[in-house]
Amino acid sequence: MYAIDQQNDHRTQQRAKLYRDTYPAFARWSEGYGVIQHRDETQVRVFDLCQQLLCTGRFRQIDEVLEILSAADRLATAAMWLVVHMTYTNKVNFNGSALDADDFKSNPQGHTGGSLNMVPAYAGYMVANRLAGITRSWLMGQGHCVAAIDAVNVLLQNLYPEQAERYPLSEQGLTQLARDFYSYAMADDGRPGVPLGSHVNPQTAGGLIEGGYLGFAELQYVHMPLPGERLVAFLSDGAFEEQRGSDWASRWWRAEDCGLVTPVMIANGRRIDQRSTMYQQGGLSWFYEHLEQNDFHPIAIDGRDPAAFIWGIFESEARLEACSAHIREGHMHYPVKLPYLIAETEKGYGFYGAGTNAAHGTPLPGNPGSDERSRNLFNEHAAKLFLPRSELELAISQIAQHEADNRVPEKHHALCMRNVRLQSPTEPQWHTEGDPTSPMAAVDTRFCEWHLANPDRRVRIGNPDELRSNRMGKTLDLLKHRVLKPEQGVAESIHGSVITALNEEAVVNAALGNKGGLNLVVSYEAFAMKMIGALRQEIIFARHQKALGRPPGWLSVPVIATSHLWENGKNEQSHQDSAFGEVLLGEMSDMTRVVYPADANSAVACLDACYQTQGQIWGMTIPKNDVVTAFTPKQAAQLAEQGALTLDKTDGAPVQLVAVGAYQLGVCQEVKRTLSKQGIQCHITYLLEPGRFRQPRDPYEKTYVCDVATRINLFPDDIRLRIFVSHLRPEILLGVCRPLDLGVDRCIAFGYRNQGGTLDTPGLLRANQSDAQSIATVVMQKIGRGEA
């Protein structure tokens, strides 16, 4: 009942005919250009939009608007032409002449069909900005469709410096673009040799997210724009089956703290080699009903027509603004039915093979460089997309009017220009040495202080389930669960900042999307593993931005793993997993700060350090149960600053005990007492941040790791025996901290050995041979045999 074909009823046809007969310029535009055709439904909608734009005073005549809309057609056609060249050719002829066998790549690559579908969408976004005189932000979940973005950006010269220098709007520049796409070129330092990738990356002007993990953009977009900002989010029907949680967006959107969002699904019906599950379940009619049941307002548009996207963006924002006004006046209640554009199209529309499985990648039956039939098909279908240079330059001049509109180019849209810094709160409520305190309770208090010192910063707390159980009760009472119908007597509010859902991906992405604000995520350590994909995508993107000299300015995000391995014995071994920190230790340590605070003071010091940095993910594994406060405020600050601290250095002691984790520190203290009774002297060093003591893997990490003098002071090379007692798996700790490994004769590591079950903390330590008795016995045997 919703399909566009069914919307073209007799009345719509009559209205479209009336407009064409009355306005010659409208009749000329309605004919479209090349493969861009304007259906009656789109014509009627666009005519209404023209009238609205005239009423705003931005334009005096409908012809002015129609000229810009015609420019959108031409831009989209030229960009589609460029996309297929990027997939297949080593040469671009600005005169549109046919290409010979030598002009084609030996190994054509590209997600051609999806990119062709994205061209009208992104071109429509650009022209919608021109018509409104507003630079909206954009987001694309299907990052493999980057060719569409690059093609439009190159034609409009909306580029960052490295691409602008290499890809000018000339035959040479476009040829270079085509040659670079999937060239696999490498620079002398081993990095990619061209400023172009297979997915959205920091060289993609205005890019925010790689989109390599389908479904995460769907979870982030509603949390991205601040009030007064606008975002157009291009989404994938394939991603709909990839990730749970995208249909919860209306649960989270609030006019009071969210900007305008326009989700746009490119509904082309196919994954890589078969139809998407949505289409197998009942097609778009089923999806429209699904959206309506989840408080969206689905709007069908023609996904082959940039004018349809333009109208849809204006329509979506107008509806959302109207709903916001009604809520302010008390005439409506949440949830707002979020407008949701469904761009109905076929995979790879505009080129050979549209609608087939082959359209996903390389739609031609063979390689045009060696197959004459494929070469003829390429030239035939590319010719349908060709736009003479004079027409292209005229279209560009009508669209690229940023200076006249006094607005920033799309490469500098608001969401990619974040620069968040906080006002520091007063001195923390430090705890006294020897007092048993919950480190998570200390974090709870300190986070509230950070928020109260920065009340204007939008907050997102990612909570999969048990915030109060994880000792964050003050934060929950202050900021509350965000719900639609608050329950009396419970910490819930329409405008709460705690995003709670039994889905780790959904809640971590709420925090990652809120790059203009203050964030914190709390999860059980074992289940924080489900967040790794989202975190890794952010870490990689931020690191690449840093390497390009454009480091991200969003406030660093603490992701806290608590109710952790060593305090989760009652819940069986599925809840006993140290992999969260271990996996993050594999990422570049200057961007991924993996810390293991041992007490309340060190946990607070780490939180403070996190909120004084930008563009980093801090993976913090913190106990929620009471543990003895081990560090003075001064020691905690020093520990956070240098990554390790010796607690009781004894000159000449043959044994160094190195603890990583709160319960492991307790074990080391007991081991020391046992060894002292046997006349064996030792001292204890606490290792907070293992990544600071690794062998650096590149120049950026080299500037981050501990300097040699400090490392030798903390971990002297002349020690007879070094014993690591680790929260994590010992093999991984030794691999990360390779410079601290004295060899098998002088270095032993204890930690999680994949043993567990329904046990208490002492039982878990014993099961993994990481208890004090087991460790002390090994040390005494080794010394007794003269092996150390």
Side-chain angles (χ1 to χ4, degrees), residues 15-38:
R15 286 183 64 193
K17 183 176 184 302
L18 173 64
Y19 299 150
R20 293 194 299 268
D21 292 344
T22 306
Y23 297 90
F26 188 83
R28 290 192 296 273
W29 168 79
S30 68
E31 296 174 358
Y33 185 90
V35 299
I36 307 297
Q37 302 296 322
H38 308 299

Side-chain angles (χ1 to χ4, degrees), residues 503-580:
N503 182 282
E504 283 78 5
E505 291 95 338
V507 299
V508 74
N509 276 292
L512 296 175
N514 182 37
K515 289 186 171 61
L518 170 65
N519 302 286
L520 183 139
V521 183
V522 181
S523 173
Y524 274 31
E525 181 182 29
F527 306 128
M529 276 298 294
K530 293 177 68 179
M531 302 178 178
I532 289 292
L535 295 175
R536 186 167 186 267
Q537 184 166 246
E538 294 290 341
I539 292 163
I540 292 171
F541 202 91
R543 180 48 130 72
H544 290 170
Q545 287 178 300
K546 177 179 178 180
L548 291 170
R550 294 190 294 269
W554 43 268
L555 191 69
S556 294
V557 179
V559 182
I560 298 177
T562 189
S563 294
H564 65 56
L565 189 170
W566 302 103
E567 36 185 34
N568 229 327
K570 68 176 184 178
N571 279 324
E572 263 300 338
Q573 197 170 355
S574 63
H575 287 56
Q576 300 156 14
D577 186 9
S578 56
F580 174 70

Side-chain angles (χ1 to χ4, degrees), residues 712-725:
I712 292 176
N713 182 55
L714 288 166
F715 301 96
D717 292 335
D718 59 357
I719 201 81
R720 285 177 59 191
L721 187 62
R722 180 167 293 148
I723 304 295
F724 288 98
V725 185

Side-chain angles (χ1 to χ4, degrees), residues 501-689:
L502 273 172
N503 182 282
E504 283 78 5
E505 291 95 338
V507 299
V508 74
N509 276 292
L512 296 175
N514 182 37
K515 289 186 171 61
L518 170 65
N519 302 286
L520 183 139
V521 183
V522 181
S523 173
Y524 274 31
E525 181 182 29
F527 306 128
M529 276 298 294
K530 293 177 68 179
M531 302 178 178
I532 289 292
L535 295 175
R536 186 167 186 267
Q537 184 166 246
E538 294 290 341
I539 292 163
I540 292 171
F541 202 91
R543 180 48 130 72
H544 290 170
Q545 287 178 300
K546 177 179 178 180
L548 291 170
R550 294 190 294 269
W554 43 268
L555 191 69
S556 294
V557 179
V559 182
I560 298 177
T562 189
S563 294
H564 65 56
L565 189 170
W566 302 103
E567 36 185 34
N568 229 327
K570 68 176 184 178
N571 279 324
E572 263 300 338
Q573 197 170 355
S574 63
H575 287 56
Q576 300 156 14
D577 186 9
S578 56
F580 174 70
E582 294 166 3
V583 173
L584 289 181
L585 280 168
E587 302 303 320
M588 305 310 290
S589 295
D590 56 315
M591 309 302 295
T592 314
R593 307 289 297 274
V594 182
V595 295
Y596 294 86
D599 67 351
N601 288 347
S602 57
V604 167
C606 285
L607 188 70
D608 282 3
C610 173
Y611 287 143
Q612 292 167 18
T613 62
Q614 293 176 305
Q616 296 177 340
I617 298 296
W618 284 60
M620 303 183 180
T621 301
I622 303 177
K624 74 173 184 180
N625 295 333
D626 288 358
V627 296
V628 173
T629 303
F631 302 104
T632 67
K634 182 178 179 180
Q635 287 176 321
Q638 185 178 2
L639 181 63
E641 180 180 353
Q642 64 185 23
L645 185 71
T646 298
L647 293 175
D648 53 357
K649 190 167 185 178
T650 303
D651 292 337
V655 178
Q656 181 183 30
L657 302 173
V658 181
V660 183
Y663 297 102
Q664 287 66 33
L665 178 58
V667 167
C668 285
Q669 291 167 336
E670 188 175 345
V671 170
K672 179 180 179 179
R673 289 191 292 269
T674 300
L675 295 179
S676 294
K677 293 177 183 179
Q678 302 298 319
I680 302 172
Q681 296 298 312
C682 58
H683 66 267
I684 299 174
T685 299
Y686 191 77
L687 176 56
L688 172 77
E689 191 172 0

